[in-house]
Amino acid sequence: MLRRSTAPDLNQDGSTALERALAQPMILGLFLPLQSGAWSPSMAPRDTHWGFDYNAECAIRAEELGFDLVFGLAQWLGKGGYGGEMRFREMAMDPLLVTSGLAPITRNILLISTVHILYGWHPVQLAKFAATIDHMSGGRWGLNMVTGYKPSEFHMFGLDDIEHDVRYAMADEFVTLMKRLWSEEENLTYEGPYWSMQDAFVAPKPVRGRPVLVNAGTSPATIDYAARHSDFIFITSPAGADPAAACSALPAHNRKIKLAARALGQEIRTIINPHVICRPTEKEAKQAVRSILDNRDPVAASNFFRSIGGGGGGKLSWSATTEEMWTVGGNVHLVGTPEQIVEWFVRLREAGCDGLQVNFYDFLPDLEYFGKAVLPLMFEAGLRHRPGL
Ligand SMILES: Cc1cc2nc3c(=O)[nH]c(=O)nc-3n(C[C@H](O)[C@H](O)[C@H](O)COP(=O)(O)O)c2cc1C
């Protein structure tokens, strides 16, 4: 049975969800498991489910625990998803619709949705959708604008795939037009290289000027786009899933992104998404990893890895990952006791990451344990302000 968040209303002091996130020493978000199998092509036992009720409970619990944001990725796969016995990610809820459903049952947390803007969207249409969800959520909606990196997705929509940097030029024009539609009080007529509109108008305007803007990736074109438009950029480790290697490579990467933004007079926050496997003892945490690997779906793991990891579709973003890393859960792996996890969080902060967006293997129980055992240590380590402070 779906319930509403019981978190105290943090908006009463006039603060916005974005301001509250930015005021934290380390931004904290949760990846939502909108796709069947979430991040791990493994059949090790778990109750994680792609359905709306399960994801709603994840978002509500994250809010009650004081997280700043939840985020949904979007992917378009054919029959069987990434395949294998588990038909990895065949079931996939649309994050735009899910975040609109989450708006009235949460009250504080940012709801960030991915949208593939090149798969048939027009700036007027998305500007209107965004303003609508922004109102439904009281100014808590965020847009992760992605341009799509899989030719198969373009083909699914009957489109030819588009060269990498052209995609970002299209995205730049798209978001610039949405910003104008969100702010201008007169009809807009425009004829550009990629988009055109005549007497276009969006009302209501978003609650606070514009929704939170986010993008994800690694390439120079992505960083250039992020520097100009985004509040947050979702980053990956340039050195793969090993956290020590990631912490060596991340300072230069984070610096490059922030310098690019500052050169334009902008501030951007970098958010990395570690896969957290935390147990009371290191032995138990390592056993959990072993169980994920021992129960891997080999076909799904191989397809998933080949299409994204190891420099597959993700190119620079996941170039240093291996199939084994990708089976456990993609991105940086943090495995250990609550103390060890928080030590890694501190090191990621020192490496210039402004935020964490955590993935789990089994979302609700792992989130619950995170709230009980890891969050208090984050307060102690100065990574998070205690509620009410
Ligand atoms: C945390 C994170 C989330 C992402 N979410 C999506 C997504 O939901 N859908 C998608 O098509 N691409 C997603 N991407 C891929 C990026 O948009 C981008 O295409 C990819 O990282 C390649 O980077 P590049 O464009 O800089 O080469 C995500 C990337 C990251 C790091």
Side-chain angles (χ1 to χ4, degrees):
M1 180 58 184
L2 207 55
R3 66 184 186 93
R4 282 168 183 259
S5 167
T6 58
D9 186 350
L10 302 179
N11 307 287
Q12 280 174 347
D13 64 1
S15 66
T16 69
L18 178 61
E19 285 164 358
R20 291 192 294 271
L22 297 180
Q24 286 285 354
M26 197 149 203
I27 297 164
L28 184 58
L30 175 71
F31 236 94
L32 290 174
L34 297 178
Q35 289 81 17
S36 52
W39 271 94
S40 314
S42 170
M43 292 183 285
R46 57 176 151 170
D47 293 325
T48 294
H49 194 272
W50 51 267
F52 181 74
D53 289 9
Y54 190 93
N55 278 278
E57 185 58 24
C58 286
I60 289 169
R61 277 310 287 146
E63 172 166 296
E64 290 170 344
L65 291 169
F67 279 54
D68 300 305
L69 64 94
V70 289
F71 163 72
L73 74 82
Q75 232 166 45
W76 304 86
L77 295 165
K79 182 177 175 179
Y82 286 104
E85 195 185 323
M86 68 187 290
R87 305 167 79 90
F88 183 52
R89 288 194 173 177
E90 181 180 50
M91 298 297 183
M93 299 281 273
D94 179 77
L96 182 67
L97 299 177
V98 169
T99 49
S100 69
L102 295 177
I105 56 173
T106 53
R107 43 165 75 118
N108 301 321
I109 199 162
L110 284 170
L111 305 166
I112 300 183
S113 167
T114 302
V115 178
H116 286 99
I117 52 138
L118 302 181
Y119 301 166
W121 284 94
H122 186 277
V124 177
Q125 184 190 17
L126 187 54
K128 171 68 94 176
F129 276 50
T132 303
I133 306 179
D134 201 57
H135 275 265
M136 290 169 68
S137 63
R140 289 183 293 119
W141 191 70
L143 169 64
N144 174 36
M145 269 187 70
V146 297
T147 62
Y149 59 88
K150 292 184 176 183
S152 61
E153 293 190 338
F154 283 90
H155 303 162
M156 190 182 276
F157 286 89
L159 303 166
D160 292 331
D161 43 307
I162 304 169
E163 196 267 312
H164 184 278
D165 288 6
V166 175
R167 290 196 260 117
Y168 282 96
M170 294 174 82
D172 181 72
E173 190 180 324
F174 194 111
V175 75
T176 302
L177 286 167
M178 286 203 301
K179 285 176 172 173
R180 292 189 62 182
L181 290 162
W182 287 328
S183 60
E184 292 183 12
E185 295 297 345
E186 300 298 332
N187 288 348
L188 177 60
T189 297
Y190 174 86
E191 189 70 45
Y194 304 112
W195 312 101
S196 60
M197 56 188 71
Q198 194 176 349
D199 292 332
F201 190 67
V202 167
K205 304 299 183 196
V207 178
R208 304 178 199 282
R210 63 165 174 78
V212 174
L213 291 177
V214 182
N215 73 306
T218 309
S219 63
T222 299
I223 293 173
D224 182 56
Y225 172 91
R228 267 175 295 128
H229 299 293
S230 298
D231 300 295
F232 303 146
I233 178 170
F234 294 148
I235 57 166
T236 51
S237 154
D242 175 68
C247 287
S248 302
L250 279 164
H253 188 49
N254 280 315
R255 206 173 309 118
K256 185 167 64 182
I257 294 170
K258 289 176 195 183
L259 285 176
R262 280 186 202 140
L264 301 173
Q266 308 283 344
E267 277 299 317
I268 188 162
R269 302 303 205 283
T270 59
I271 301 184
I272 193 154
N273 57 314
H275 195 83
V276 174
I277 300 185
C278 184
R279 296 290 184 274
T281 64
E282 192 178 338
K283 189 170 165 215
E284 288 166 279
K286 286 187 171 158
Q287 272 167 353
V289 173
R290 190 34 49 216
S291 160
I292 295 170
L293 288 171
D294 287 348
N295 289 283
R296 84 182 76 191
D297 183 322
V299 175
S302 165
N303 290 339
F304 187 42
F305 174 67
R306 277 190 291 113
S307 90
I308 305 181
K315 302 278 184 302
L316 295 171
S317 291
W318 292 286
S319 56
T321 52
T322 63
E323 185 172 324
E324 184 161 299
M325 290 171 180
W326 209 245
T327 305
V328 175
N331 302 308
V332 180
H333 294 168
L334 305 183
V335 179
T337 63
E339 290 76 13
Q340 290 171 314
I341 300 294
V342 173
E343 273 168 36
W344 283 119
F345 286 171
V346 169
R347 288 190 57 186
L348 287 168
R349 181 80 196 86
E350 288 166 358
C353 298
D354 301 305
L356 305 160
Q357 183 167 214
V358 290
N359 300 323
F360 296 117
Y361 181 74
D362 196 4
F363 275 72
L364 280 176
D366 288 353
L367 175 63
E368 218 47 58
Y369 184 61
F370 187 93
K372 194 174 88 178
V374 178
L375 267 179
L377 299 180
M378 291 182 77
F379 297 139
E380 271 173 36
L383 294 176
R384 300 283 299 167
H385 296 313
R386 286 178 200 278
L389 291 182

